[in-house]
Amino acid sequence: MDPDTDGGTLPPLRGALRAVRDVLDATDPGLVRLVGAAHTVGAICLTLAALWALGFDTPFLVAAGSSALVWSMVLTGPKEGEQAVTHALGLPAALLAATAAVLLAPYPVWSGAVFVVLLFVTVYVRRYGPRGTALGMNAFQMYFVMQFVRLPDEQLPRLWAALLVAFACGAVVRFVLLRTSPARSFARLRRSVRACLADVAEALAALADPGDRPGRITTLRRRLRRLHTCALMLQDSVEACAAPAVAARVRTRMTETDVRAERLAVMLLRTGGASGDSAAQDFAHRLHLRGADGHTGGAPAAGTDLEARLRALPGVLARGGPPRPEADPAQQMSAAPGPLPQPDVPGPVTAEADAVAVADQALTDFEQAAAGLREAFRWSPGTRPAPAAQTSEPPRSEPEAQSHGVERPTTRAAVQVACGAAVATVGGQLISSDHAYWAVLACWMVFFNTASTGEIALKGSRRVAGTLAGALVGLFVASALAGHPWAAFALTLLCVFGMAYTAALSYTAATFFITLMIALLSDLLGTYTDDLLLIRIGETVFGVLCGVAAAVLVLPRATGRRTDALLADALRALADAVTATVRRLTSPAPVDPPDALVRAAHTADLRVEELTRSLTPLVHPAAPHRARRRTSLYVLGLLETCAYHVRVLAVEAGRGAPGGWSASPARPLLEERARTVVVRLEALAAGHADGPEPAPTAGAPAQGPVAPGPDETRMLMHLRRMEDDVRAMAGALPRPGAELRRGSA
């Protein structure tokens, strides 16, 4: 029996725990946030317990606990060995920063100057990757904490000992007690994929019931998006914990399942009578898969076999999908996926039976794809590391090596931070001479993980909102828990967990937990007053304003300029994926293996994802420029559609042997259409409204199209759809980012 299935009825408690785990698996792919929060809370608890047993006073507990908190959150790396090296380097960085803070505390001017310099260095070293980012942030946060926890010079040896204990406890938690190996990460992502598939199955089955279709379509879109995100994470992680051949198989199966889930969703929306459902039409438009008449339809017709199968879909997927035709497991692993269903019914959809038949076939293919994915998981040797292999490059918009001087992103951000922090230091002293570091911290934090003025302004507004909410709650909580130190301590740990768990999900929520935690810590230290939280609000607002002003006035980097670069990257990645696909289909010589096509599609997905994140300030509901917001959403929809077609092409091209179409009479037509798509993509990436019309491919028929077979028809249709999308983008954007840049800051 599969370890993730159970043949009997679960007891109530076990069933409730299983339900909770399924929700966590689906909403937190790979339990990345949960594991990170557990690392943070575990390191803090072990550090405080060890220091309390050794007889350290409260200030040392706060300093060491804060160090454990920050270091657990910023220590990242793809491999355990790299994390261990970074962890070892983090201790001397923390010791130097803490020592400088203590020695300079009696000299406010020098202390503030060093703080600003340290801010510059912290941002500057981000160019050295995760290790530079972690070490810089660790040094800065340690210096900041020692502004909050004042210690005399003679206590430095005890402070060093406390920090040594904190780093030792952090290493024990991360590398021993809660060790996260590549195999365990893969296993958690595998459970998340299954949970996401179950959620998608439930949402698809819900379409068979009448009522509240807009709400159900919104739920379906959200769950499909979650499945796609989980698929991307799985493809990134599978390299480290499976044999290369099996890793390639899992990647291919995951891509196929993701594509067929989207395909089935659109087919279901096309069944039934005309509904005029705007939500359904918008959904179909986002995938650009409408029929010739734009019909999206309503729910599946009652009484059809399709409706019954939809209602049974969650149970079918839980049992592993329909029976596989292959008898030998080894053959199951090597069998090529079946063809994807024909996306469009020829001509207008005039009969409901035609649409239901296509949806029924899409459902069958989705069930088989899910079953094939489970077979790939079952055969993954999850504990055997893979040899080093080339993986898809992480998304990047402006490589450091291609920029010089202040044009380098890290240098520009470092200069902006230094200027903003200098003003925040002076102005913060006017608000409160004892808490000016809060203004500096707010100024610095709005630059962390941001790359444009729009992103900085949006993050600053979220920090202010989270601070206001946290201060409001903190006023009541700190007063209610006065005189109850253990209750305050327990709630502080809950705040730490909430901050770590929500940091990657909602910066507003993370800031809320930080502010509430400050109120509780102040209560534990005996320094809490109601004015303290008001001062924090004032310092935070002023620091955010300083950061935004520095981003606008000092070496500004407009949001539109950044999106231009990211859009060009995404377009080139799509062009590369199309080129690789057609090369495999038409070249008689040995070419890229099927896994290379999936990798190319994966890279294109990552580029589109990064562009989506960078456009957040422009597509935010509060964005002032409504026309630019509509244009941005439209372009994103077209890019996501192109990425979908690229995934389909990668799966389809990987099914056959290399060069299998080299002798096909439709080969010239395929090459010509693909070259048209690539030329237009590259022209748009280069900043032109449209590329030159490609010359006909040698050997292409001058008059009359060649009658292609079913497989060729599918490939040509997807290429035609991509060409339509690129033309639409060219019409919306005379040059990449033109509409996004106009009037943006």
Side-chain angles (χ1 to χ4, degrees), residues 422-486:
V423 178
T425 300
V426 177
Q429 291 285 340
L430 300 177
I431 298 175
S432 173
S433 58
D434 293 330
H435 301 93
Y437 48 82
W438 275 339
V440 180
L441 178 67
C443 177
W444 176 75
M445 285 302 297
V446 297
F447 283 90
F448 190 71
N449 283 337
T450 56
S452 68
T453 304
E455 293 179 26
I456 290 170
L458 182 59
K459 188 171 184 179
S461 66
R462 289 171 174 171
R463 185 172 183 86
V464 171
T467 300
L468 290 172
L472 181 62
V473 175
L475 287 172
F476 295 96
V477 172
S479 300
L481 295 181
H484 300 83
W486 287 108

Coordinates of all heavy atoms in Angstrom, one line a residue, residues 422-486:
A422 N 21.2 58.0 7.1 CA 21.8 59.1 7.7 C 20.7 60.1 8.1 O 20.7 60.7 9.2 CB 22.8 59.8 6.7
V423 N 19.7 60.4 7.2 CA 18.6 61.3 7.5 C 17.8 60.7 8.7 O 17.4 61.4 9.6 CB 17.8 61.6 6.3 CG1 16.6 62.5 6.6 CG2 18.6 62.2 5.2
A424 N 17.5 59.4 8.6 CA 16.7 58.7 9.6 C 17.4 58.8 11.0 O 16.7 58.9 12.0 CB 16.4 57.3 9.2
T425 N 18.7 58.7 11.0 CA 19.4 58.8 12.3 C 19.2 60.2 12.9 O 18.9 60.3 14.2 CB 20.9 58.5 12.1 OG1 21.1 57.2 11.5 CG2 21.7 58.6 13.4
V426 N 19.4 61.2 12.1 CA 19.3 62.6 12.7 C 17.8 62.8 13.1 O 17.5 63.3 14.2 CB 19.7 63.6 11.6 CG1 19.5 65.0 12.2 CG2 21.2 63.4 11.3
G427 N 16.9 62.5 12.2 CA 15.5 62.8 12.5 C 14.9 61.9 13.6 O 14.1 62.4 14.4
G428 N 15.4 60.7 13.7 CA 15.0 59.8 14.7 C 15.4 60.3 16.1 O 14.7 60.1 17.1
Q429 N 16.6 61.0 16.2 CA 17.0 61.5 17.4 C 16.0 62.6 17.9 O 15.8 62.8 19.1 CB 18.4 62.1 17.3 CG 19.5 61.1 17.1 CD 19.9 60.4 18.3 OE1 19.6 60.8 19.4 NE2 20.5 59.2 18.2
L430 N 15.4 63.3 17.0 CA 14.5 64.4 17.4 C 13.2 63.8 17.9 O 12.5 64.4 18.8 CB 14.2 65.3 16.2 CG 15.4 66.0 15.6 CD1 15.0 66.8 14.3 CD2 16.0 66.9 16.6
I431 N 12.8 62.6 17.4 CA 11.6 62.0 17.9 C 11.9 61.3 19.3 O 11.1 61.5 20.2 CB 11.1 60.9 16.9 CG1 10.7 61.6 15.6 CG2 9.9 60.1 17.5 CD1 10.3 60.6 14.5
S432 N 13.0 60.6 19.4 CA 13.3 59.9 20.6 C 14.8 59.6 20.6 O 15.2 58.8 19.7 CB 12.5 58.7 20.9 OG 13.0 58.0 22.0
S433 N 15.6 60.2 21.4 CA 17.0 60.0 21.4 C 17.4 58.5 21.8 O 18.4 58.0 21.4 CB 17.7 61.0 22.4 OG 17.2 60.8 23.7
D434 N 16.5 57.9 22.5 CA 16.8 56.5 23.0 C 16.3 55.4 22.0 O 16.7 54.3 22.1 CB 16.1 56.2 24.3 CG 16.7 57.0 25.4 OD1 17.9 57.4 25.4 OD2 15.9 57.4 26.4
H435 N 15.5 55.8 21.0 CA 15.0 54.8 20.1 C 15.1 55.2 18.6 O 14.3 54.8 17.8 CB 13.5 54.5 20.4 CG 13.2 54.1 21.8 ND1 12.9 54.9 22.8 CD2 13.3 52.8 22.3 CE1 12.8 54.2 23.9 NE2 13.0 52.9 23.7
A436 N 16.1 56.0 18.3 CA 16.3 56.5 16.9 C 16.6 55.3 16.0 O 16.4 55.4 14.8 CB 17.4 57.5 16.9
Y437 N 17.1 54.2 16.6 CA 17.5 53.1 15.7 C 16.3 52.4 15.1 O 16.4 51.7 14.1 CB 18.2 52.0 16.6 CG 17.6 51.7 17.9 CD1 16.5 50.8 18.0 CD2 18.0 52.3 19.1 CE1 15.9 50.5 19.1 CE2 17.4 52.0 20.3 CZ 16.3 51.0 20.3 OH 15.7 50.7 21.5
W438 N 15.1 52.6 15.6 CA 13.9 52.1 15.0 C 13.6 52.8 13.6 O 13.2 52.2 12.7 CB 12.7 52.3 15.9 CG 12.5 51.2 16.9 CD1 13.0 50.0 16.8 CD2 11.8 51.3 18.1 NE1 12.7 49.2 17.9 CE2 11.9 50.0 18.7 CE3 11.0 52.3 18.7 CZ2 11.3 49.7 19.9 CZ3 10.4 52.0 19.9 CH2 10.6 50.7 20.5
A439 N 13.9 54.1 13.5 CA 13.8 54.8 12.3 C 14.8 54.2 11.2 O 14.5 54.0 10.1 CB 13.9 56.3 12.5
V440 N 16.0 54.0 11.7 CA 17.1 53.5 10.8 C 16.7 52.1 10.4 O 16.8 51.7 9.2 CB 18.4 53.5 11.6 CG1 19.5 52.9 10.6 CG2 18.8 54.9 12.0
L441 N 16.1 51.3 11.3 CA 15.7 49.9 10.9 C 14.6 49.9 9.9 O 14.7 49.2 8.9 CB 15.3 49.2 12.2 CG 14.8 47.7 11.9 CD1 15.9 46.8 11.5 CD2 14.1 47.2 13.2
A442 N 13.6 50.8 10.1 CA 12.5 50.9 9.1 C 13.1 51.3 7.7 O 12.6 50.8 6.7 CB 11.5 51.9 9.6
C443 N 14.0 52.3 7.7 CA 14.6 52.7 6.5 C 15.3 51.6 5.7 O 15.1 51.4 4.5 CB 15.5 53.9 6.7 SG 16.4 54.5 5.2
W444 N 16.0 50.8 6.5 CA 16.8 49.7 5.9 C 15.9 48.6 5.4 O 16.1 48.0 4.3 CB 17.8 49.2 6.9 CG 18.5 48.0 6.4 CD1 19.5 48.0 5.5 CD2 18.3 46.6 6.8 NE1 20.0 46.7 5.3 CE2 19.3 45.9 6.1 CE3 17.5 46.0 7.7 CZ2 19.3 44.5 6.2 CZ3 17.5 44.6 7.8 CH2 18.5 43.9 7.1
M445 N 14.9 48.3 6.2 CA 14.0 47.1 5.9 C 13.2 47.3 4.6 O 13.0 46.3 3.9 CB 13.1 46.8 7.0 CG 13.7 46.2 8.3 SD 14.5 44.6 7.9 CE 13.1 43.6 7.3
V446 N 12.9 48.5 4.2 CA 12.1 48.7 3.0 C 13.0 48.4 1.8 O 12.4 48.3 0.7 CB 11.5 50.1 2.9 CG1 10.5 50.3 4.1 CG2 12.6 51.2 2.9
F447 N 14.3 48.4 1.9 CA 15.2 48.1 0.8 C 15.5 46.6 0.7 O 16.1 46.2 -0.2 CB 16.5 48.9 1.0 CG 16.4 50.3 0.6 CD1 16.1 51.3 1.5 CD2 16.6 50.7 -0.7 CE1 16.0 52.6 1.2 CE2 16.5 52.1 -1.1 CZ 16.2 53.0 -0.1
F448 N 15.1 45.8 1.8 CA 15.5 44.4 1.8 C 14.5 43.7 0.8 O 13.3 43.7 1.0 CB 15.4 43.9 3.2 CG 15.9 42.5 3.3 CD1 17.3 42.3 3.3 CD2 15.1 41.4 3.5 CE1 17.8 41.0 3.4 CE2 15.6 40.1 3.7 CZ 17.0 39.9 3.6
N449 N 15.1 42.9 -0.1 CA 14.4 42.1 -1.1 C 13.5 43.0 -2.0 O 12.4 42.6 -2.4 CB 13.5 41.1 -0.4 CG 14.3 39.9 0.0 OD1 15.4 39.6 -0.5 ND2 13.8 39.2 1.0
T450 N 13.9 44.2 -2.2 CA 13.2 45.1 -3.2 C 14.2 45.6 -4.2 O 15.4 45.6 -3.9 CB 12.5 46.3 -2.5 OG1 13.5 47.0 -1.7 CG2 11.4 45.9 -1.6
A451 N 13.7 46.0 -5.4 CA 14.7 46.4 -6.4 C 14.2 47.7 -7.2 O 14.8 48.0 -8.2 CB 14.9 45.3 -7.4
S452 N 13.1 48.3 -6.8 CA 12.6 49.4 -7.6 C 11.9 50.3 -6.6 O 11.5 49.9 -5.5 CB 11.6 49.0 -8.7 OG 10.4 48.5 -8.2
T453 N 11.6 51.6 -7.0 CA 11.0 52.5 -6.2 C 9.5 52.1 -5.8 O 9.1 52.3 -4.7 CB 10.9 53.9 -6.9 OG1 12.2 54.3 -7.3 CG2 10.3 55.0 -6.0
G454 N 8.8 51.5 -6.8 CA 7.5 51.1 -6.5 C 7.5 50.0 -5.4 O 6.6 50.0 -4.5
E455 N 8.4 49.0 -5.5 CA 8.4 48.0 -4.5 C 8.8 48.5 -3.1 O 8.2 48.1 -2.1 CB 9.5 46.9 -4.9 CG 9.1 46.1 -6.2 CD 10.2 45.1 -6.6 OE1 10.9 44.7 -5.7 OE2 10.3 44.8 -7.8
I456 N 9.7 49.5 -3.1 CA 10.1 50.1 -1.8 C 8.9 50.8 -1.2 O 8.6 50.7 0.0 CB 11.3 51.0 -2.0 CG1 12.5 50.2 -2.4 CG2 11.5 51.9 -0.8 CD1 13.7 51.1 -2.8
A457 N 8.1 51.6 -2.0 CA 7.0 52.3 -1.5 C 5.9 51.3 -1.0 O 5.3 51.6 0.1 CB 6.4 53.2 -2.5
L458 N 5.7 50.3 -1.7 CA 4.6 49.3 -1.3 C 5.1 48.6 0.0 O 4.2 48.4 0.9 CB 4.4 48.3 -2.4 CG 3.3 47.2 -2.2 CD1 2.0 47.9 -1.9 CD2 3.3 46.3 -3.4
K459 N 6.3 48.2 0.1 CA 6.8 47.5 1.3 C 6.7 48.5 2.5 O 6.4 48.1 3.6 CB 8.2 47.0 1.1 CG 8.7 46.1 2.2 CD 10.0 45.4 1.9 CE 10.4 44.5 3.1 NZ 11.6 43.8 2.8
G460 N 7.1 49.7 2.2 CA 7.0 50.7 3.3 C 5.6 50.9 3.8 O 5.4 51.0 5.1
S461 N 4.6 50.9 2.9 CA 3.2 51.1 3.4 C 2.8 49.9 4.2 O 2.0 50.0 5.2 CB 2.3 51.3 2.2 OG 2.3 50.1 1.4
R462 N 3.2 48.7 3.8 CA 2.9 47.5 4.5 C 3.5 47.5 5.9 O 2.9 47.0 6.9 CB 3.3 46.3 3.7 CG 2.4 46.0 2.5 CD 3.0 44.9 1.6 NE 2.1 44.6 0.5 CZ 2.4 43.9 -0.5 NH1 3.6 43.3 -0.6 NH2 1.5 43.6 -1.5
R463 N 4.7 48.0 6.0 CA 5.4 48.0 7.3 C 4.7 49.0 8.2 O 4.5 48.7 9.4 CB 6.9 48.4 7.2 CG 7.6 48.4 8.5 CD 9.1 48.6 8.3 NE 9.8 48.5 9.6 CZ 10.2 47.3 10.1 NH1 10.0 46.2 9.5 NH2 10.8 47.3 11.3
V464 N 4.2 50.1 7.7 CA 3.5 51.1 8.6 C 2.2 50.4 9.0 O 1.8 50.6 10.2 CB 3.3 52.4 7.8 CG1 2.3 53.3 8.6 CG2 4.6 53.1 7.5
A465 N 1.5 49.8 8.1 CA 0.2 49.2 8.5 C 0.4 48.1 9.5 O -0.4 48.0 10.5 CB -0.5 48.6 7.2
G466 N 1.4 47.2 9.4 CA 1.7 46.2 10.4 C 2.1 46.8 11.7 O 1.7 46.3 12.8
T467 N 2.8 47.9 11.7 CA 3.2 48.5 12.9 C 2.0 49.1 13.7 O 1.9 49.0 14.9 CB 4.3 49.6 12.7 OG1 5.4 49.0 12.0 CG2 4.7 50.3 13.9
L468 N 1.2 49.8 12.9 CA 0.0 50.3 13.6 C -0.9 49.3 14.2 O -1.4 49.4 15.3 CB -0.8 51.1 12.5 CG -0.2 52.4 12.0 CD1 -1.0 53.0 10.9 CD2 -0.1 53.5 13.2
A469 N -1.1 48.2 13.5 CA -1.9 47.1 14.0 C -1.3 46.5 15.2 O -1.9 46.2 16.3 CB -2.2 46.1 12.9
G470 N 0.0 46.2 15.1 CA 0.8 45.6 16.3 C 0.8 46.5 17.5 O 0.6 46.0 18.6
A471 N 0.9 47.8 17.3 CA 0.9 48.7 18.4 C -0.4 48.8 19.1 O -0.5 48.8 20.3 CB 1.4 50.1 18.0
L472 N -1.5 48.8 18.3 CA -2.8 48.8 18.9 C -3.1 47.6 19.7 O -3.6 47.7 20.8 CB -3.9 48.9 17.7 CG -5.3 49.0 18.2 CD1 -5.6 50.3 19.0 CD2 -6.2 49.0 16.9
V473 N -2.8 46.4 19.2 CA -3.0 45.2 20.0 C -2.0 45.2 21.2 O -2.4 44.7 22.3 CB -2.8 44.0 19.1 CG1 -2.9 42.7 19.9 CG2 -3.8 43.9 18.0
G474 N -0.8 45.6 21.0 CA 0.2 45.6 22.0 C -0.2 46.4 23.2 O 0.2 46.1 24.4
L475 N -0.9 47.5 23.0 CA -1.3 48.4 24.1 C -2.2 47.6 25.1 O -2.0 47.7 26.3 CB -2.1 49.6 23.6 CG -1.3 50.7 22.9 CD1 -2.2 51.7 22.3 CD2 -0.4 51.4 23.9
F476 N -3.0 46.7 24.6 CA -3.9 45.9 25.4 C -3.2 44.7 26.0 O -3.4 44.3 27.2 CB -5.2 45.5 24.7 CG -6.0 46.7 24.3 CD1 -5.9 47.3 23.0 CD2 -6.9 47.3 25.1 CE1 -6.7 48.3 22.6 CE2 -7.7 48.4 24.8 CZ -7.6 48.9 23.5
V477 N -2.5 44.0 25.1 CA -1.8 42.7 25.6 C -0.8 43.0 26.6 O -0.8 42.2 27.6 CB -1.2 42.0 24.3 CG1 -0.4 40.8 24.8 CG2 -2.3 41.6 23.4
A478 N 0.1 43.9 26.4 CA 1.1 44.2 27.4 C 0.5 44.6 28.8 O 1.0 44.2 29.8 CB 2.1 45.3 26.9
S479 N -0.5 45.4 28.7 CA -1.2 45.8 30.0 C -1.8 44.6 30.7 O -1.8 44.4 31.9 CB -2.2 46.9 29.7 OG -1.6 48.0 29.2
A480 N -2.5 43.7 29.9 CA -3.2 42.6 30.5 C -2.2 41.5 31.0 O -2.5 40.8 32.0 CB -4.0 41.9 29.4
L481 N -1.0 41.4 30.5 CA 0.0 40.4 30.9 C 1.0 41.0 31.9 O 1.9 40.3 32.2 CB 0.7 39.8 29.7 CG -0.2 39.0 28.8 CD1 0.7 38.5 27.6 CD2 -0.9 37.9 29.5
A482 N 0.8 42.2 32.3 CA 1.7 42.8 33.3 C 1.7 42.0 34.6 O 0.6 41.7 35.1 CB 1.3 44.3 33.6
G483 N 2.9 41.6 35.1 CA 3.0 40.8 36.3 C 2.8 39.3 36.0 O 2.8 38.5 36.9
H484 N 2.7 38.9 34.7 CA 2.6 37.5 34.4 C 3.8 37.2 33.4 O 3.5 37.0 32.2 CB 1.3 37.1 33.7 CG 0.1 37.4 34.7 ND1 -0.4 38.7 34.8 CD2 -0.6 36.6 35.5 CE1 -1.4 38.6 35.7 NE2 -1.5 37.4 36.1
P485 N 5.0 37.1 33.8 CA 6.1 36.9 32.9 C 6.1 35.7 32.1 O 6.5 35.7 30.9 CB 7.4 36.9 33.9 CG 6.8 36.6 35.2 CD 5.4 37.1 35.3
W486 N 5.6 34.5 32.7 CA 5.6 33.3 31.9 C 4.6 33.4 30.8 O 4.9 32.9 29.7 CB 5.4 32.1 32.8 CG 6.6 31.8 33.6 CD1 6.7 31.9 35.0 CD2 7.8 31.2 33.2 NE1 7.9 31.5 35.4 CE2 8.6 31.1 34.3 CE3 8.3 30.8 31.9 CZ2 9.9 30.5 34.3 CZ3 9.6 30.3 31.9 CH2 10.4 30.2 33.0

